[in-house]
Amino acid sequence: MDTFVCGKCGYVAFGSPPDVCPVCGAKKEAFEMDNTAIKRPVDSKNLNELEKKHIPQIKITKTCDLVGSGYVDANIKIGEILHPMETKHYIMYMDIYLDRAFIGRYHLTPEKLNPVLGIHLKVNSGKLLVLENCNLHGHWVSEVEI
Ligand SMILES: [Fe+2]
């Protein structure tokens, strides 16, 4: 599946560019196809340290009852080895997709936050994809079945 990157905010669209960027409002013309925009592990069964620090870890929890039953929580942590959150090197944002459709962005700042996120979904099926952007090492993704 082709990936298109917004030249203004870094948002990545799967399949085709949107008419308007859902994150920053840029027009379709601001998008460029870039199928190398997302970093992939060289060998997914034998990750190197850079990969261990960047590939999102996603844990689905089906027991949350904050908003009634039948919904799903997802806990996300960047890196099997927790990624640094220092001024010079940190996770800038996490974008969340359901079945490759964008549903939200979480912006992070360095120093006071760990690169983790808890979200509560209004659905209980589909594929949850998390795309993170490291200021030095770019975009990395994980996708899991809910
Ligand atoms: Fe990094």
Side-chain angles (χ1 to χ4, degrees):
M1 184 180 280
D2 289 331
T3 52
F4 297 82
V5 181
C6 175
K8 275 181 76 179
C9 74
Y11 165 75
V12 176
F14 295 93
S16 60
D19 290 335
V20 175
C21 176
V23 173
C24 73
K27 297 210 166 105
K28 189 180 253 179
E29 295 71 43
F31 281 79
E32 282 201 16
M33 189 169 85
D34 181 356
N35 288 329
T36 63
I38 297 172
K39 306 264 190 345
R40 308 272 179 200
V42 177
D43 174 2
S44 58
K45 291 192 173 115
N46 188 20
L47 301 180
N48 62 36
E49 189 166 330
L50 187 75
E51 293 161 350
K52 284 181 182 172
K53 279 187 181 165
H54 288 90
I55 295 172
Q57 310 287 300
I58 305 171
K59 186 175 158 194
I60 302 292
T61 309
K62 303 215 177 197
T63 55
C64 174
D65 59 359
L66 280 172
V67 192
S69 60
Y71 300 126
V72 165
D73 270 9
N75 296 316
I76 298 148
K77 170 183 144 189
I78 303 306
E80 179 183 325
I81 301 170
L82 193 66
H83 189 280
M85 288 298 282
E86 298 156 359
T87 306
K88 289 182 179 167
H89 183 202
Y90 68 104
I91 302 302
M92 299 171 71
Y93 57 81
M94 297 183 211
D95 282 348
I96 313 299
Y97 302 74
L98 189 66
D99 294 326
R100 302 278 170 110
F102 177 77
I103 57 173
R105 171 172 286 193
Y106 175 52
H107 282 280
L108 294 88
T109 56
E111 306 300 345
K112 299 285 190 288
L113 289 171
N114 272 318
V116 299
L117 170 65
I119 58 173
H120 183 91
L121 297 165
K122 285 177 76 177
V123 299
N124 57 18
S125 64
K127 281 189 173 175
L128 183 70
L129 184 146
V130 176
L131 179 152
E132 63 94 338
N133 186 36
C134 166
N135 70 320
L136 296 182
H137 302 109
H139 295 117
W140 299 76
V141 299
S142 277
E143 188 171 38
V144 298
E145 195 79 46
I146 291 172

PDB file of all heavy atoms in Angstrom, residues 26-44:
ATOM      1  N   ALA A  26      -3.588  21.009   5.612  1.00  0.00           N
ATOM      2  CA  ALA A  26      -2.934  21.249   4.315  1.00  0.00           C
ATOM      3  C   ALA A  26      -3.726  20.575   3.199  1.00  0.00           C
ATOM      4  O   ALA A  26      -4.380  19.559   3.407  1.00  0.00           O
ATOM      5  CB  ALA A  26      -1.506  20.706   4.345  1.00  0.00           C
ATOM      6  N   LYS A  27      -3.639  21.159   1.991  1.00  0.00           N
ATOM      7  CA  LYS A  27      -4.362  20.595   0.847  1.00  0.00           C
ATOM      8  C   LYS A  27      -3.616  19.397   0.264  1.00  0.00           C
ATOM      9  O   LYS A  27      -2.440  19.172   0.537  1.00  0.00           O
ATOM     10  CB  LYS A  27      -4.536  21.673  -0.214  1.00  0.00           C
ATOM     11  CG  LYS A  27      -5.390  22.833   0.292  1.00  0.00           C
ATOM     12  CD  LYS A  27      -6.164  23.478  -0.853  1.00  0.00           C
ATOM     13  CE  LYS A  27      -7.240  24.387  -0.273  1.00  0.00           C
ATOM     14  NZ  LYS A  27      -6.931  25.791  -0.369  1.00  0.00           N
ATOM     15  N   LYS A  28      -4.325  18.639  -0.557  1.00  0.00           N
ATOM     16  CA  LYS A  28      -3.788  17.424  -1.178  1.00  0.00           C
ATOM     17  C   LYS A  28      -2.425  17.656  -1.834  1.00  0.00           C
ATOM     18  O   LYS A  28      -1.550  16.801  -1.800  1.00  0.00           O
ATOM     19  CB  LYS A  28      -4.801  16.933  -2.219  1.00  0.00           C
ATOM     20  CG  LYS A  28      -4.510  15.581  -2.799  1.00  0.00           C
ATOM     21  CD  LYS A  28      -5.573  15.190  -3.827  1.00  0.00           C
ATOM     22  CE  LYS A  28      -6.462  14.119  -3.264  1.00  0.00           C
ATOM     23  NZ  LYS A  28      -7.520  13.681  -4.160  1.00  0.00           N
ATOM     24  N   GLU A  29      -2.235  18.845  -2.416  1.00  0.00           N
ATOM     25  CA  GLU A  29      -0.987  19.162  -3.121  1.00  0.00           C
ATOM     26  C   GLU A  29       0.224  19.140  -2.189  1.00  0.00           C
ATOM     27  O   GLU A  29       1.368  19.039  -2.653  1.00  0.00           O
ATOM     28  CB  GLU A  29      -1.078  20.540  -3.805  1.00  0.00           C
ATOM     29  CG  GLU A  29      -2.112  20.642  -4.918  1.00  0.00           C
ATOM     30  CD  GLU A  29      -3.562  20.632  -4.434  1.00  0.00           C
ATOM     31  OE1 GLU A  29      -3.866  21.313  -3.426  1.00  0.00           O
ATOM     32  OE2 GLU A  29      -4.397  19.937  -5.051  1.00  0.00           O
ATOM     33  N   ALA A  30      -0.007  19.245  -0.885  1.00  0.00           N
ATOM     34  CA  ALA A  30       1.109  19.254   0.074  1.00  0.00           C
ATOM     35  C   ALA A  30       1.649  17.839   0.317  1.00  0.00           C
ATOM     36  O   ALA A  30       2.700  17.673   0.929  1.00  0.00           O
ATOM     37  CB  ALA A  30       0.667  19.866   1.399  1.00  0.00           C
ATOM     38  N   PHE A  31       0.924  16.824  -0.177  1.00  0.00           N
ATOM     39  CA  PHE A  31       1.328  15.435   0.062  1.00  0.00           C
ATOM     40  C   PHE A  31       2.248  14.927  -1.037  1.00  0.00           C
ATOM     41  O   PHE A  31       2.053  15.245  -2.212  1.00  0.00           O
ATOM     42  CB  PHE A  31       0.097  14.529   0.133  1.00  0.00           C
ATOM     43  CG  PHE A  31      -0.605  14.606   1.459  1.00  0.00           C
ATOM     44  CD1 PHE A  31      -1.453  15.673   1.746  1.00  0.00           C
ATOM     45  CD2 PHE A  31      -0.412  13.630   2.426  1.00  0.00           C
ATOM     46  CE1 PHE A  31      -2.100  15.750   2.976  1.00  0.00           C
ATOM     47  CE2 PHE A  31      -1.058  13.705   3.651  1.00  0.00           C
ATOM     48  CZ  PHE A  31      -1.901  14.763   3.927  1.00  0.00           C
ATOM     49  N   GLU A  32       3.234  14.139  -0.627  1.00  0.00           N
ATOM     50  CA  GLU A  32       4.101  13.473  -1.599  1.00  0.00           C
ATOM     51  C   GLU A  32       4.117  11.986  -1.299  1.00  0.00           C
ATOM     52  O   GLU A  32       4.178  11.586  -0.140  1.00  0.00           O
ATOM     53  CB  GLU A  32       5.524  14.016  -1.503  1.00  0.00           C
ATOM     54  CG  GLU A  32       5.670  15.348  -2.181  1.00  0.00           C
ATOM     55  CD  GLU A  32       7.112  15.668  -2.551  1.00  0.00           C
ATOM     56  OE1 GLU A  32       7.952  14.745  -2.564  1.00  0.00           O
ATOM     57  OE2 GLU A  32       7.360  16.848  -2.821  1.00  0.00           O
ATOM     58  N   MET A  33       4.055  11.191  -2.367  1.00  0.00           N
ATOM     59  CA  MET A  33       4.165   9.747  -2.179  1.00  0.00           C
ATOM     60  C   MET A  33       5.591   9.431  -1.730  1.00  0.00           C
ATOM     61  O   MET A  33       6.550   9.910  -2.338  1.00  0.00           O
ATOM     62  CB  MET A  33       3.831   8.994  -3.461  1.00  0.00           C
ATOM     63  CG  MET A  33       3.729   7.496  -3.218  1.00  0.00           C
ATOM     64  SD  MET A  33       3.023   6.594  -4.618  1.00  0.00           S
ATOM     65  CE  MET A  33       4.491   6.357  -5.571  1.00  0.00           C
ATOM     66  N   ASP A  34       5.707   8.681  -0.656  1.00  0.00           N
ATOM     67  CA  ASP A  34       7.027   8.282  -0.159  1.00  0.00           C
ATOM     68  C   ASP A  34       6.887   6.921   0.523  1.00  0.00           C
ATOM     69  O   ASP A  34       6.517   6.833   1.688  1.00  0.00           O
ATOM     70  CB  ASP A  34       7.565   9.327   0.827  1.00  0.00           C
ATOM     71  CG  ASP A  34       8.951   8.951   1.338  1.00  0.00           C
ATOM     72  OD1 ASP A  34       9.449   7.859   0.977  1.00  0.00           O
ATOM     73  OD2 ASP A  34       9.523   9.730   2.110  1.00  0.00           O
ATOM     74  N   ASN A  35       7.175   5.886  -0.234  1.00  0.00           N
ATOM     75  CA  ASN A  35       7.011   4.542   0.318  1.00  0.00           C
ATOM     76  C   ASN A  35       8.172   4.116   1.217  1.00  0.00           C
ATOM     77  O   ASN A  35       8.201   2.984   1.698  1.00  0.00           O
ATOM     78  CB  ASN A  35       6.775   3.532  -0.806  1.00  0.00           C
ATOM     79  CG  ASN A  35       5.387   3.703  -1.409  1.00  0.00           C
ATOM     80  OD1 ASN A  35       4.450   4.107  -0.718  1.00  0.00           O
ATOM     81  ND2 ASN A  35       5.260   3.444  -2.692  1.00  0.00           N
ATOM     82  N   THR A  36       9.111   5.060   1.448  1.00  0.00           N
ATOM     83  CA  THR A  36      10.183   4.774   2.407  1.00  0.00           C
ATOM     84  C   THR A  36       9.999   5.608   3.679  1.00  0.00           C
ATOM     85  O   THR A  36      10.886   5.661   4.525  1.00  0.00           O
ATOM     86  CB  THR A  36      11.570   5.080   1.813  1.00  0.00           C
ATOM     87  OG1 THR A  36      11.647   6.491   1.527  1.00  0.00           O
ATOM     88  CG2 THR A  36      11.816   4.303   0.543  1.00  0.00           C
ATOM     89  N   ALA A  37       8.844   6.267   3.798  1.00  0.00           N
ATOM     90  CA  ALA A  37       8.619   7.178   4.937  1.00  0.00           C
ATOM     91  C   ALA A  37       8.562   6.445   6.266  1.00  0.00           C
ATOM     92  O   ALA A  37       8.864   7.017   7.307  1.00  0.00           O
ATOM     93  CB  ALA A  37       7.326   7.960   4.732  1.00  0.00           C
ATOM     94  N   ILE A  38       8.153   5.195   6.241  1.00  0.00           N
ATOM     95  CA  ILE A  38       8.048   4.428   7.483  1.00  0.00           C
ATOM     96  C   ILE A  38       9.198   3.439   7.549  1.00  0.00           C
ATOM     97  O   ILE A  38       9.421   2.666   6.621  1.00  0.00           O
ATOM     98  CB  ILE A  38       6.696   3.692   7.543  1.00  0.00           C
ATOM     99  CG1 ILE A  38       5.560   4.717   7.567  1.00  0.00           C
ATOM    100  CG2 ILE A  38       6.630   2.778   8.759  1.00  0.00           C
ATOM    101  CD1 ILE A  38       4.183   4.107   7.430  1.00  0.00           C
ATOM    102  N   LYS A  39       9.924   3.491   8.662  1.00  0.00           N
ATOM    103  CA  LYS A  39      11.052   2.581   8.854  1.00  0.00           C
ATOM    104  C   LYS A  39      10.526   1.185   9.207  1.00  0.00           C
ATOM    105  O   LYS A  39       9.567   1.045   9.955  1.00  0.00           O
ATOM    106  CB  LYS A  39      11.951   3.082   9.973  1.00  0.00           C
ATOM    107  CG  LYS A  39      12.412   4.518   9.790  1.00  0.00           C
ATOM    108  CD  LYS A  39      13.760   4.551   9.165  1.00  0.00           C
ATOM    109  CE  LYS A  39      14.458   5.888   9.141  1.00  0.00           C
ATOM    110  NZ  LYS A  39      13.769   7.093   9.395  1.00  0.00           N
ATOM    111  N   ARG A  40      11.152   0.193   8.663  1.00  0.00           N
ATOM    112  CA  ARG A  40      10.760  -1.204   8.927  1.00  0.00           C
ATOM    113  C   ARG A  40      11.959  -1.949   9.505  1.00  0.00           C
ATOM    114  O   ARG A  40      13.094  -1.678   9.131  1.00  0.00           O
ATOM    115  CB  ARG A  40      10.355  -1.907   7.625  1.00  0.00           C
ATOM    116  CG  ARG A  40       9.321  -1.168   6.829  1.00  0.00           C
ATOM    117  CD  ARG A  40       7.934  -1.541   7.268  1.00  0.00           C
ATOM    118  NE  ARG A  40       6.942  -0.795   6.485  1.00  0.00           N
ATOM    119  CZ  ARG A  40       5.696  -0.604   6.873  1.00  0.00           C
ATOM    120  NH1 ARG A  40       5.283  -1.111   8.007  1.00  0.00           N
ATOM    121  NH2 ARG A  40       4.850   0.080   6.139  1.00  0.00           N
ATOM    122  N   PRO A  41      11.711  -2.917  10.385  1.00  0.00           N
ATOM    123  CA  PRO A  41      12.835  -3.693  10.900  1.00  0.00           C
ATOM    124  C   PRO A  41      13.492  -4.513   9.793  1.00  0.00           C
ATOM    125  O   PRO A  41      12.806  -5.003   8.896  1.00  0.00           O
ATOM    126  CB  PRO A  41      12.206  -4.586  11.959  1.00  0.00           C
ATOM    127  CG  PRO A  41      10.743  -4.466  11.819  1.00  0.00           C
ATOM    128  CD  PRO A  41      10.431  -3.280  10.970  1.00  0.00           C
ATOM    129  N   VAL A  42      14.791  -4.624   9.884  1.00  0.00           N
ATOM    130  CA  VAL A  42      15.533  -5.420   8.902  1.00  0.00           C
ATOM    131  C   VAL A  42      15.145  -6.886   9.039  1.00  0.00           C
ATOM    132  O   VAL A  42      14.858  -7.568   8.065  1.00  0.00           O
ATOM    133  CB  VAL A  42      17.057  -5.230   9.111  1.00  0.00           C
ATOM    134  CG1 VAL A  42      17.842  -6.098   8.148  1.00  0.00           C
ATOM    135  CG2 VAL A  42      17.424  -3.756   8.934  1.00  0.00           C
ATOM    136  N   ASP A  43      15.126  -7.369  10.290  1.00  0.00           N
ATOM    137  CA  ASP A  43      14.734  -8.750  10.571  1.00  0.00           C
ATOM    138  C   ASP A  43      13.818  -8.706  11.797  1.00  0.00           C
ATOM    139  O   ASP A  43      14.288  -8.498  12.926  1.00  0.00           O
ATOM    140  CB  ASP A  43      15.998  -9.588  10.843  1.00  0.00           C
ATOM    141  CG  ASP A  43      15.653 -11.007  11.291  1.00  0.00           C
ATOM    142  OD1 ASP A  43      14.451 -11.359  11.356  1.00  0.00           O
ATOM    143  OD2 ASP A  43      16.593 -11.768  11.585  1.00  0.00           O
ATOM    144  N   SER A  44      12.510  -8.869  11.576  1.00  0.00           N
ATOM    145  CA  SER A  44      11.548  -8.661  12.661  1.00  0.00           C
ATOM    146  C   SER A  44      11.715  -9.658  13.815  1.00  0.00           C
ATOM    147  O   SER A  44      11.218  -9.430  14.907  1.00  0.00           O
ATOM    148  CB  SER A  44      10.119  -8.704  12.114  1.00  0.00           C
ATOM    149  OG  SER A  44       9.891  -9.939  11.489  1.00  0.00           O
TER     150      SER A  44
END
